[in-house]
Amino acid sequence: MRQNDTATLGVATPLLRSRIGLWWGLLGVLAFSFTVPLTRVTVESGHMSPLFVGAGRAAVAALLAAVALLLARQPFPRGRQWVGVAVVAAGVVAGFPLLTSFALETASASHGAVVIALLPAATAVAAVLRTGERPARAFWIAAAVGAVAAVGFAVIEGGGFDGLRFSDALLFAAVAACAIGYAEGGLLSRELGSWQTISWALVLASPLMIVLMMISVAQHPPTAAPIEWAAFAYLAVVSMFLGFFAWYRGLAIGPMARVSQVQLTQPVMSILWASLLLGERIGWPTLVGGLAVVGCALLAVRARGRVRHR
């Protein structure tokens, strides 16, 4: 694995590059689609604390990342690249796993999947702000309506504004953190490479994640069943590490705006896994809310394709 072996495919035609990027992106989304249901598996019984799940999976993934970087003899990021790595670490390695772990302690996996369905639109907004694009007005309208739809779903599920739960606030915060990390990581992977970007982010965040994991073990030693440990292993190895190999490679090959559209399939798959693996009942509010949020996200991502730079 060389430094730029995942960042460019110089011999491919534009059409072939686009298809390759889409397939890599879809593979990453498939890997991520199990994250919400399996996080619910790890924290639902109380045998593992949300802090242990959120920090522990990052700590394990950081170990794998460090080994991969050493074996491949990857050079350290340079200068301002470290800033980008820190943003990815804060949003993707620390923010999203910790926030969703605490949220899914009480929220169902299907509920979490609908709220997190806002992520593609949020990622597009973060990318627009990061790159200085000037998208059409339809982009901002679709993104705003998607946010309203996600909040509306949470309100209806909670029985009104008084029924909004703290877990919903955590889920929305997780979406914001992950969107910023995705957008920054997609840009940075063009310089460092896809797997190198997430690996350096994991390594950079590892001291904090290890400390948090040790605190959680001291306060609440995990006493999980084998199925819960298996879910934790998936979160650590696939959701936190291998899935990003495919996702960031797809974004790096690009075009980023088009590849990011495959993320719209993630909430649909997550709701399906929640039903099949957890036996959660998928009612009309979940279906309608999910379709509304995904539809708005699709409009936002497509509208972003029609941009002009400052």
Side-chain angles (χ1 to χ4, degrees):
M1 291 182 287
R2 297 183 299 274
Q3 181 176 356
N4 296 320
D5 64 354
T6 59
T8 59
L9 291 174
V11 298
T13 65
L15 180 59
L16 179 58
R17 281 173 55 87
S18 178
R19 289 178 177 175
I20 292 174
L22 284 172
W23 281 112
W24 276 111
L26 184 60
L27 181 60
V29 166
L30 176 62
F32 295 149
S33 69
F34 288 94
T35 300
V36 169
L38 293 185
T39 300
R40 177 67 173 165
V41 169
T42 59
V43 301
E44 182 179 18
S45 66
H47 295 156
M48 291 185 185
S49 71
L51 182 60
F52 176 80
V53 173
R57 68 194 245 192
V60 173
L63 177 61
L64 298 176
V67 171
L69 290 169
L70 286 173
L71 290 178
R73 299 180 180 179
Q74 290 298 300
F76 286 87
R78 301 184 305 274
R80 296 187 63 181
Q81 290 177 338
W82 279 114
V83 177
V85 171
V87 172
V88 176
V92 176
V93 178
F96 187 82
L98 289 171
L99 291 167
T100 53
S101 294
F102 280 99
L104 292 170
E105 191 177 20
T106 54
S108 69
S110 56
H111 180 97
V114 172
V115 176
I116 294 173
L118 187 61
L119 183 56
T123 302
V125 171
V128 163
L129 297 176
R130 175 66 177 83
T131 59
E133 295 175 358
R134 300 181 64 185
R137 182 179 300 176
F139 168 81
W140 297 109
I141 294 175
V145 173
V148 171
V151 173
F153 166 77
V155 170
I156 293 173
E157 280 258 298
F161 283 99
D162 293 338
L164 278 175
R165 293 162 287 188
F166 182 60
S167 59
D168 291 314
L170 293 176
L171 288 170
F172 283 116
V175 167
C178 193
I180 295 171
Y182 274 178
E184 188 66 30
L187 294 173
L188 189 60
S189 62
R190 293 175 176 175
E191 302 176 23
L192 296 179
S194 58
W195 70 270
Q196 294 92 332
T197 296
I198 188 60
S199 295
W200 283 117
L202 286 164
V203 169
L204 183 64
S206 61
L208 174 61
M209 295 296 101
I210 291 172
V211 170
L212 292 176
M213 182 183 68
M214 293 174 64
I215 292 174
S216 69
V217 170
Q219 293 177 343
H220 184 173
T223 57
I227 188 65
E228 294 165 333
W229 280 116
F232 176 83
Y234 183 94
L235 294 174
V237 177
V238 181
S239 294
M240 281 303 301
F241 190 52
L242 295 181
F244 282 99
F245 279 44
W247 176 242
Y248 278 148
R249 181 171 187 177
L251 291 178
I253 294 172
M256 190 183 298
R258 186 179 180 190
V259 173
S260 64
Q261 291 186 41
V262 302
Q263 196 179 17
L264 296 164
T265 63
Q266 182 173 331
V268 178
M269 289 189 285
S270 293
I271 292 173
L272 176 62
W273 306 145
S275 177
L276 294 177
L277 300 178
L278 304 178
E280 292 186 2
R281 181 178 176 274
I282 309 302
W284 283 110
T286 300
L287 292 175
V288 174
L291 289 174
V293 177
V294 169
C296 292
L298 174 61
L299 293 175
V301 171
R302 286 188 172 179
R304 187 196 161 212
R306 302 185 294 274
V307 300
R308 52 191 176 90
H309 295 273
R310 290 188 180 93

